[in-house]
Amino acid sequence: MPFKYDFRKRRNTFRKVMGLLSKTKAKMMIETGTSREGLKGAKSNGAATIVFGKWASENAAFLHSVDINEKSVANAQTEVDKQKLNEWVKIHESDSVAFLDAFADKVDFLYLDSYDYSSNVEVQKKSQEHHLKEFKAIENKLHDKSIVLIDDCDLPNGGKGKLVIAYMLENGWRIEEEAYQVLLVREDFPY
Ligand SMILES: C[S@@+](CC[C@H](N)C(=O)[O-])C[C@H]1O[C@@H](n2cnc3c(N)ncnc32)[C@H](O)[C@@H]1O
């Protein structure tokens, strides 16, 4: 990825995740909340659809990215086309919880980054509840070597991950890295 795409506060966690994805030989990846600004959003939203889409293209893996907003989907698709990633990335227009609930395959990597967080406390609670619902909807498709990354956590009142991280810690997961993004693996994760 060219240096001008400075991923700032996500750079180290993205790098760490990609190292683990290689070790676990991840094949099936899901992102909730797609790259609505394409690669231009590298410094703001993260551009994870392209980051992990490129990783998928280099490692014979596949990324599903789901978003409820038509415009976000269209913008992400434009960037996926531009980067020639269609063989490895599919963007879905759907509510993420419904999508995850219906997903049939095992998931090696889950990236939660949908319902926008804000300074409004009510929105914060809804965002936290939504990310917990996402996890619960796909929980039974995760396995011993699955990797979970949650965006926008180091924010007032706990960020997007507050409820889902608490739930995961009570249910056999541990924090592998805690920064702006939080990276979690199973307690007996072998790497
Ligand atoms: C912060 S952006 C995602 C950024 C992206 N992950 C990246 O790295 O560039 C959040 C996205 O979540 C989407 N979103 C909000 N509520 C959602 C829901 N219930 N289901 C799916 N997507 C949702 C929004 O439409 C928006 O495009």
Side-chain angles (χ1 to χ4, degrees):
M1 195 68 72
F3 188 73
K4 66 175 177 167
Y5 297 113
D6 174 359
F7 293 91
R8 287 184 171 168
K9 57 197 173 194
R10 298 181 179 90
R11 189 177 190 86
N12 291 341
T13 28
F14 276 172
R15 192 172 271 168
K16 172 122 191 179
V17 165
M18 286 188 274
L20 292 178
L21 293 175
S22 297
K23 285 184 183 163
T24 58
K25 299 186 172 47
K27 295 293 168 211
M28 186 59 77
M29 314 199 284
I30 300 183
E31 170 189 42
T32 67
T34 201
S35 288
R36 60 184 162 196
E37 294 181 290
L39 257 181
K40 280 202 292 277
K43 290 180 185 164
S44 51
N45 287 312
T49 314
I50 305 306
V51 171
F52 294 117
K54 277 196 184 296
W55 188 90
S57 74
E58 290 160 7
N59 292 276
F62 199 87
L63 173 69
H64 293 279
S65 182
V66 58
D67 201 295
I68 202 165
N69 182 284
E70 189 182 347
K71 193 141 188 263
S72 297
V73 168
N75 288 351
Q77 187 60 59
T78 300
E79 190 70 50
V80 166
D81 293 345
K82 192 168 155 193
Q83 301 295 330
K84 301 187 170 44
L85 291 173
N86 281 295
E87 201 178 319
W88 302 279
V89 179
K90 184 164 169 57
I91 317 279
H92 305 260
E93 188 178 327
S94 166
D95 168 64
S96 54
V97 176
F99 177 84
L100 293 168
D101 206 34
F103 198 78
D105 297 330
K106 289 280 176 201
V107 177
D108 303 315
F109 173 53
L110 176 67
Y111 181 46
L112 302 183
D113 184 22
S114 60
Y115 203 126
D116 283 311
Y117 206 68
S118 95
S119 54
N120 179 307
V121 176
E122 285 313 307
V123 174
Q124 292 177 356
K125 283 185 189 154
K126 285 189 175 147
S127 174
Q128 290 166 345
E129 282 161 11
H130 184 80
H131 289 91
L132 174 59
K133 279 188 205 154
E134 289 183 334
F135 182 79
K136 286 184 173 175
I138 197 74
E139 187 175 4
N140 65 352
K141 299 293 183 316
L142 299 173
H143 55 79
D144 290 353
K145 291 182 193 161
S146 295
I147 295 160
V148 178
L149 183 67
I150 306 167
D151 198 40
D152 301 320
C153 288
D154 189 16
L155 289 172
N157 301 318
K160 291 179 178 177
K162 182 179 177 181
L163 298 182
V164 61
I165 292 169
Y167 176 82
M168 289 175 76
L169 294 178
E170 283 171 8
N171 286 280
W173 294 80
R174 66 173 168 84
I175 293 176
E176 173 72 14
E177 183 115 358
E178 189 164 17
Y180 184 73
Q181 302 180 302
V182 175
L183 169 58
L184 296 108
V185 292
R186 300 287 305 182
E187 274 166 6
D188 53 357
F189 187 69
Y191 299 102

